Amino acid sequence: MRIATYNVNGVNGRLPVLLRWLEETQPHVVCLQELKAPDEKFPEEAIKAAGYDAIWHGQKSWNGVAILSRVGKPQETQRGLAGDPEDTHSRYIEAAVGGILIGGLYLPNGNPRPGPKFDYKLRWFERFAEHAQGLLDTKLPVILAGDYNVMPTELDVYKPERWTDDALFAPEIRHAFAALVSQGWTDALRHLHPAETIYTFFDYFRNAYVRNAGLRIDHLLLSPAIAPRLDSAGTDHHVRGWEKTSDHVPTWIELKD
DNA sequence: ATGGCTGTTATAAACAGA
């Protein structure tokens, strides 16, 4: 079974690319981020016609997450995170699908740092880590997939020295990511490719894709109950070269049956 | 260091992204 995460950067503007990619790679389950559309503008019909049931948590202009499945309709278990009634951003959705509990997330960017946006990122991360611990406690097979907006190590940044003060690579946020993983999660891509340069994002600026000036910020974390099924992992790097493409690259894992 | 690009929309003397 193939499970993918893809920050589409606008689900309607990106619809031709999304459909082309779905048809080409046929993932069983997909977590989408940055829908940039309210619930009523989610392209449900086109995605249904492509063979996918979906649930989504949208928002006008910004954020927005969804879970797509061609192995049965996702059974939603949660949307949003507990711990902050003031938080209006649509950044988390969770469902049981294909015998796995899938959490799809879009962690805040957090720039500029320092500032209120970075504070919000750290607080959101704390709430997420608390929820993640609760999921681990269930002993269920769980996958937390999405755009974490964190490069975990220097291997995940094309020029680490330029990113040390950035909200995606600052010590506080790298520590938060490391602490999350140390709860017992497996970072699937890094686990299978411990020394390889793998990027999931290339800026639209300055020809970043062609220069391979990328970041690894989209991750799939596996709970102990499912980690033994991990078979392969990678990115659909070529999709970044398509016309009208997202700045992120689809990122996936393959599980043994 | 700066500015480069893209999607969404209050269509910009805008904002946010990473």
Side-chain angles (χ1 to χ4, degrees):
Chain A
M1 180 155 75
R2 177 174 289 230
I3 298 169
T5 178
Y6 186 19
N7 180 325
V8 289
N9 187 10
V11 72
N12 287 303
R14 201 71 60 217
L15 194 56
V17 165
L18 174 62
L19 295 174
R20 178 181 171 188
W21 168 72
L22 287 173
E23 184 174 21
E24 180 184 292
T25 67
Q26 302 268 309
H28 297 84
V29 180
V30 181
C31 295
L32 297 179
Q33 302 88 38
E34 280 207 83
L35 304 179
K36 292 186 168 182
D39 281 341
E40 62 273 19
K41 290 196 177 168
F42 184 82
E44 181 178 13
E45 293 307 317
I47 283 171
K48 184 77 180 172
Y52 288 85
D53 292 309
I55 59 171
W56 57 94
H57 187 199
Q59 179 180 337
K60 191 167 146 188
S61 302
W62 297 304
N63 311 313
V65 286
I67 300 176
L68 280 47
S69 164
R70 62 178 180 89
V71 291
K73 185 169 172 60
Q75 301 299 306
E76 185 170 323
T77 54
Q78 185 163 331
R79 59 176 56 203
L81 291 174
D84 183 3
E86 309 291 305
D87 184 4
T88 56
H89 294 194
S90 299
R91 295 183 178 276
Y92 187 76
I93 191 165
E94 183 185 284
V97 55
I100 302 169
L101 195 60
I102 307 269
L105 66 136
Y106 174 46
L107 217 131
N109 175 300
N111 277 307
R113 167 187 173 273
K117 291 190 173 182
F118 191 65
D119 296 341
Y120 172 65
K121 181 177 196 174
L122 292 176
R123 284 202 314 276
W124 202 95
F125 211 129
E126 283 173 19
R127 293 160 60 207
F128 177 63
E130 195 157 324
H131 184 65
Q133 182 62 61
L135 293 173
L136 281 182
D137 293 343
T138 68
K139 311 289 187 193
L140 290 167
V142 183
I143 297 175
L144 298 174
D147 178 358
Y148 285 70
N149 269 316
V150 181
M151 296 86 87
T153 74
E154 298 201 339
L155 187 54
D156 303 311
V157 197
Y158 68 100
K159 278 196 175 168
E161 67 278 9
R162 286 197 185 174
W163 289 83
T164 49
D165 295 326
D166 190 276
L168 280 69
F169 196 55
E172 309 95 291
I173 209 67
R174 292 169 63 187
H175 290 154
F177 187 86
L180 172 68
V181 170
S182 71
Q183 289 177 348
W185 300 94
T186 296
D187 174 351
L189 270 78
R190 191 48 78 213
H191 178 73
L192 290 181
H193 305 282
E196 195 175 325
T197 297
I198 303 171
Y199 298 139
T200 68
F201 169 88
F202 301 90
D203 211 307
Y204 287 126
F205 306 155
R206 285 170 272 155
N207 230 1
Y209 176 60
V210 173
R211 294 189 299 119
N212 199 33
L215 310 172
R216 190 175 74 96
I217 55 178
D218 301 271
H219 308 297
L220 297 108
L221 300 190
L222 278 55
S223 77
I226 192 131
R229 286 178 58 194
L230 180 61
D231 194 46
S232 59
T235 65
D236 296 319
H237 182 264
H238 66 286
V239 172
R240 184 63 182 80
W242 291 354
E243 288 294 312
K244 300 284 287 178
T245 199
S246 172
D247 41 7
H248 290 252
V249 161
T251 304
W252 52 267
I253 61 171
E254 195 80 38
L255 297 173
K256 292 172 245 186
D257 291 331

